[in-house]
Amino acid sequence: MTKAELIDKISEKRPGLTRKQVEVVVNSVLDSIKDALAKEDKVEIRGFGSFRIRHRRAKEGRNPKTGETVSVPPKKVPFFKAGKEMREMVDGKL
Amino acid sequence: MTKADIISEVFDKVGLPKQDAEELVEMILDTIKLTLKEGETVKLSGFGNFVVRQKRSRKGRNPKTGQEIEITPRSVVSFRPSMIFKDHVIETDSATDGAVPAGQPAE
């Protein structure tokens, strides 16, 4: 399922709203999660899961083309952990 | 940040009644969940992909008792953030605390 399909599906269930309104809400939800993580805040959604930042240490890397050693700076990456309900649902337990 | 905070942000940004904002947020999360339950991938451009992966059975250990146990095969959700999401997290950081290392070439 793509974002467009998600928007279509919800629009069908809510005939009172335009597709555009649903689209704006979907983007707004995704943006608030992204912005929260950018501020190093974590996002916890009961039954769904939580998003937080994981820190990657600096490490020695290698340029695969030249074999040259380069230092890779420490990095922050978004990380998602599925909540209990989501885990059980996906694993066929709910 | 919790679901309630997401709903308020949506309500502030989008000119919809609070109840609509609330219902839509719930529908978005439920639709993603139900799609994953069917084993289908959810691709949200600019955000990331939620993918269901099959894990094989493996040996584990009860950390309290040290007893070895079998972890059954299972389906799990993994999230792969998009480049846009990854860059958003990194850029915002270097913009706020000037964390670009000295000597890094300016682009």
Side-chain angles (χ1 to χ4, degrees):
Chain A
M1 183 169 74
T2 62
K3 187 153 81 182
E5 288 163 352
L6 172 65
I7 295 164
D8 288 339
K9 203 160 207 175
I10 293 170
S11 305
E12 280 165 28
K13 286 191 210 156
R14 290 299 309 263
L17 299 171
T18 65
R19 190 182 184 281
K20 185 76 200 167
Q21 284 174 311
V22 174
E23 184 181 348
V24 170
V25 173
V26 168
N27 284 326
S28 163
V29 169
L30 301 179
D31 285 346
S32 27
I33 296 173
K34 283 200 286 197
D35 289 344
L37 290 210
K39 286 182 282 186
E40 290 222 31
D41 195 0
K42 58 175 186 283
V43 181
E44 289 176 331
I45 305 168
R46 180 87 38 101
F48 188 86
S50 59
F51 294 88
R52 60 194 173 81
I53 290 292
R54 272 208 172 166
H55 295 265
R56 300 254 181 269
R57 271 177 309 223
K59 57 172 184 176
E60 295 281 289
R62 223 170 255 283
N63 180 331
K65 242 183 218 158
T66 64
E68 194 187 356
T69 306
V70 290
S71 66
V72 179
K75 232 193 328 207
K76 295 174 176 182
V77 289
F79 177 78
F80 172 74
K81 185 170 181 238
K84 186 165 187 272
E85 196 191 329
M86 168 86 96
R87 276 203 312 268
E88 292 181 351
M89 227 175 177
V90 167
D91 201 27
K93 289 186 180 131
L94 282 183
Chain B
M1 175 158 157
T2 63
K3 189 159 67 186
D5 299 320
I6 295 178
I7 292 167
S8 331
E9 272 198 32
V10 168
F11 173 69
D12 290 341
K13 283 193 260 181
V14 183
L16 281 177
K18 185 99 181 194
Q19 181 156 359
D20 284 336
E22 201 170 326
E23 280 174 20
L24 284 176
V25 171
E26 297 284 1
M27 283 171 89
I28 292 164
L29 298 171
D30 284 348
T31 309
I32 295 172
K33 240 172 10 185
L34 290 169
T35 305
L36 292 170
K37 181 187 162 80
E38 299 307 313
E40 196 186 324
T41 297
V42 178
K43 298 181 186 180
L44 304 172
S45 75
F47 188 76
N49 298 346
F50 293 93
V51 186
V52 176
R53 293 171 50 200
Q54 313 303 323
K55 299 280 235 180
R56 272 179 308 206
S57 153
R58 62 190 169 94
K59 289 235 166 71
R61 218 174 258 284
N62 180 330
K64 242 183 218 154
T65 63
Q67 197 188 2
E68 206 168 85
I69 44 166
E70 167 100 357
I71 298 174
T72 53
R74 61 192 65 202
S75 303
V76 298
V77 177
S78 79
F79 174 68
R80 301 207 46 193
S82 72
M83 276 314 284
I84 293 174
F85 194 169
K86 288 192 199 172
D87 287 346
H88 188 63
V89 165
I90 292 168
E91 266 166 34
T92 313
D93 172 53
S94 48
T96 47
D97 60 21
V100 177
Q104 188 133 316
E107 275 165 46

